Amino acid sequence: MEESRRNFIKKAVIGTTAMTFGGILPSFSAKSYKNIIGANERINIAMMGVNARGKALANNFALQPNSQITYICDVDSGAINRCMPEVMKRQKHQPKTEGDFRRALEDKDVDALVVAAPDHWHAPAAILASSAGKHVYLEKPCSHNPHEGELLIEAVKKYKNVIQMGNQRRSWPNVAAGIREVHNGAIGKPYFAKTWYTNNRAPIGIGKEVAVPNWLNFDLWQGPAPRRAYKDNILHYNWHWFWHWGTGEALNNGTHFVDLARWGLQVEYPTRVTSVGGRFAHKDDWQTPDTQTIGLEFGNNSMITWEGRSCNGMKTDGATVGVVFYGEKGSLQINGDNAYQIFDLNSKLLKEVRDTTKVEATSLTNPSQQLDAIHIQNFFSAIKDGSALNSDIIGGHQSTLLVQLGNIAQRTGQALDIDPKTGKILNNKDAMNKYWKREYQKGWEPRV
């Protein structure tokens, strides 16, 4: 029975690859198409972390005709209660609920784990799932520190499973087309990619130690991280700005567009990394930079910069987020949507490809969800027959490492020389010893 179910999954995913955005046939709604496929013939998904981004992912995975969510897992019981009715709008099967995702990994019927927990859990959870024989859809960044990225690569080699990082723009059609334009010489030889992110984030204040809420398993929330006291300004989003659990804006949002920059320039590891910035906008508990510029130099006479402004939303080149490739003959710009523009050396617009994504009224709430479903289907195709991932974990690690190195340069206050073959820091033992790997709570160290 198990073998038959998995063989059907393989055939089912083949059929979805020819579908339009979101895996929906043009003549069928998501709901009507889903009814064609039996409940035992879909890829079974366990969700880990269903607040905000995790809930959006749960909605999208529940909507896919060739998958169903069988577990909703979160250390926050309220998050589970909020996610369940959303999932049930999109699938008939009612998922089981678990406060501890590890119990879901014990279920032989679970095929894949979707990790949307905080950054310090990303790699450890993916490694646990891999060792349990599950595939993994891993939200960016793929790791909290470079060592964990290396462990993920070891895990895939050992367990032979599929791990896809959630840098979804790798699968957006017009974004991919724009990158092909760069590769095919539309702007001549590209030598510089500028990326950025802007926002108007409010201060987080000075946290007070308070009792852990009764809806939260804070010990499991911390998991691999050494234990810290619970404060009232950590959850559910502000952990991003504490080095102990988060990775700052550079990995929170910079990963997406630094990844596109690396893809467009066709580079892997840099030769030199610099960073300047700090916490400038407010005086509070926020530890990571709210203003930061990372510089990445590569051996093929090219470079990438990332500018993050968490607390000043002034647009750059007309957009709050984006990448511009500069070349010998012109420039190509990709912003936050599924579109791109090509300019000549005098800023004259030569070509514009617009985002024409349409949302199915009864299913997805915004165009990016519909586009992200293509990334999900690519993940399913890789599970089915070994199709190439649009973001395998090697590339995911390489892109994540670029901004991790930027943060290491920021925290050390030094320019870093990098081995272009391995990405390792050269001639700086202090940086390697202190920042390449973190300290773990005893007994929680990730291992392959």
Side-chain angles (χ1 to χ4, degrees):
M1 289 290 291
E2 179 67 14
E3 187 61 29
S4 297
R5 186 180 73 84
R6 293 183 183 277
N7 286 337
F8 186 92
I9 287 172
K10 293 181 178 181
K11 294 176 183 178
V13 180
I14 291 175
T16 63
T17 58
M19 298 179 192
T20 58
F21 296 153
I24 302 165
L25 288 170
S27 57
F28 288 90
S29 70
K31 183 176 180 181
S32 64
Y33 188 82
K34 198 167 208 179
N35 290 335
I36 297 173
I37 300 177
N40 293 326
E41 297 155 349
R42 302 189 185 104
I43 295 175
N44 290 328
I45 303 294
M47 295 293 309
M48 178 193 179
V50 290
N51 265 300
R53 176 60 184 163
K55 186 169 73 171
L57 279 171
N59 286 337
N60 218 336
F61 273 88
L63 185 65
Q64 299 311 304
N66 50 340
S67 72
Q68 66 181 2
I69 294 176
T70 56
Y71 282 87
I72 297 176
C73 309
D74 203 295
V75 296
D76 175 355
S77 59
I80 293 176
N81 294 335
R82 290 186 293 272
C83 184
M84 179 66 77
E86 294 296 315
V87 168
M88 291 305 296
K89 291 177 185 177
R90 293 162 174 81
Q91 68 176 45
K92 290 183 176 180
H93 173 77
Q94 181 166 342
K96 298 178 182 178
T97 61
E98 284 289 354
D100 189 336
F101 78 99
R102 293 172 296 182
R103 295 195 184 99
L105 298 182
E106 296 171 358
D107 190 333
K108 62 181 178 61
D109 290 330
V110 170
D111 300 300
L113 178 71
V114 177
V115 180
D119 294 358
H120 69 284
W121 254 119
H122 282 194
I127 291 167
L128 286 173
S130 299
S131 66
K134 315 303 182 186
H135 304 291
V136 184
Y137 187 96
L138 181 59
E139 272 296 273
K140 58 76 205 163
C142 66
S143 59
H144 180 269
N145 54 78
H147 170 70
E148 290 180 351
E150 295 174 323
L151 288 180
L152 288 170
I153 294 173
E154 288 182 27
V156 169
K157 289 179 180 178
K158 178 175 182 178
Y159 302 117
K160 311 299 182 185
N161 65 325
V162 174
I163 301 180
Q164 168 117 301
M165 191 168 87
N167 45 338
Q168 297 83 2
R169 285 178 178 81
R170 284 263 178 168
S171 294
W172 291 16
N174 290 341
V175 170
I179 297 296
R180 285 196 299 273
E181 295 258 28
V182 175
H183 292 172
N184 293 336
I187 60 173
K189 180 184 180 299
Y191 52 83
F192 173 37
K194 177 181 71 176
T195 69
W196 67 93
Y197 174 82
T198 71
N199 204 336
N200 286 307
R201 300 192 188 278
I204 66 172
I206 306 298
K208 297 178 182 179
E209 289 190 21
V210 295
V212 176
N214 58 12
W215 45 261
L216 175 67
N217 183 341
F218 189 54
D219 185 67
L220 185 56
W221 184 89
Q222 296 201 82
R227 297 298 177 261
R228 294 280 179 86
Y230 180 81
K231 292 186 176 183
D232 59 7
N233 66 343
I234 297 173
L235 299 185
H236 269 298
Y237 197 81
N238 292 338
W239 56 262
H240 281 95
W241 323 127
F242 294 88
W243 292 118
H244 194 67
W245 304 292
T247 52
E249 202 76 86
L251 275 77
N252 183 38
N253 278 293
T255 305
H256 282 298
F257 283 86
V258 170
D259 175 62
L260 295 186
R262 190 182 69 80
W263 185 15
L265 294 182
Q266 302 182 81
V267 293
E268 293 182 353
Y269 301 114
T271 57
R272 190 170 185 268
V273 179
T274 59
S275 177
V276 293
R279 175 57 166 162
F280 298 145
H282 304 287
K283 294 184 183 298
D284 54 13
D285 285 342
W286 186 313
Q287 296 174 345
T288 65
D290 63 29
T291 307
Q292 185 178 15
T293 299
I294 294 173
L296 303 154
E297 301 173 29
F298 297 86
N300 65 344
N301 292 323
S302 67
M303 63 179 288
I304 295 170
T305 61
W306 180 75
E307 179 182 286
R309 283 181 284 114
S310 299
C311 300
N312 186 312
M314 177 69 180
K315 294 179 179 180
T316 297
D317 289 340
T320 59
V321 60
V323 55
V324 177
F325 295 96
Y326 299 93
E328 296 171 333
K329 298 179 180 179
S331 305
L332 186 146
Q333 181 166 345
I334 301 172
N335 295 330
D337 57 4
N338 185 38
Y340 66 91
Q341 298 172 307
I342 300 177
F343 302 88
D344 68 12
L345 292 175
N346 295 313
S347 301
K348 179 183 178 182
L349 180 63
L350 301 179
K351 181 177 182 179
E352 182 172 24
V353 175
R354 296 180 178 273
D355 183 2
T356 58
T357 309
K358 302 298 181 183
V359 178
E360 184 178 313
T362 59
S363 58
L364 297 168
T365 58
N366 59 65
S368 66
Q369 275 192 303
Q370 190 157 331
L371 291 164
D372 290 353
I374 306 173
H375 205 56
I376 293 171
Q377 288 298 328
N378 175 243
F379 174 58
F380 291 163
S381 295
I383 294 173
K384 176 269 304 179
D385 63 0
S387 296
L389 285 168
N390 291 341
S391 181
D392 64 29
I393 201 57
I394 295 176
H397 167 64
Q398 288 170 339
S399 293
T400 301
L401 179 62
L402 295 186
V403 275
Q404 285 172 336
L405 290 171
N407 275 344
I408 294 173
Q410 176 69 35
R411 298 180 77 179
T412 61
Q414 300 173 353
L416 303 177
D417 294 321
I418 308 298
D419 185 336
K421 295 181 180 180
T422 66
K424 296 274 193 179
I425 300 169
L426 299 173
N427 309 317
N428 194 327
K429 291 183 179 180
D430 289 342
M432 282 294 295
N433 292 337
K434 190 172 183 179
Y435 296 116
W436 193 262
K437 179 181 179 181
R438 74 165 306 155
E439 292 184 6
Y440 294 95
Q441 179 71 11
K442 186 176 181 180
W444 289 80
E445 301 87 350
R447 293 188 177 91
V448 176

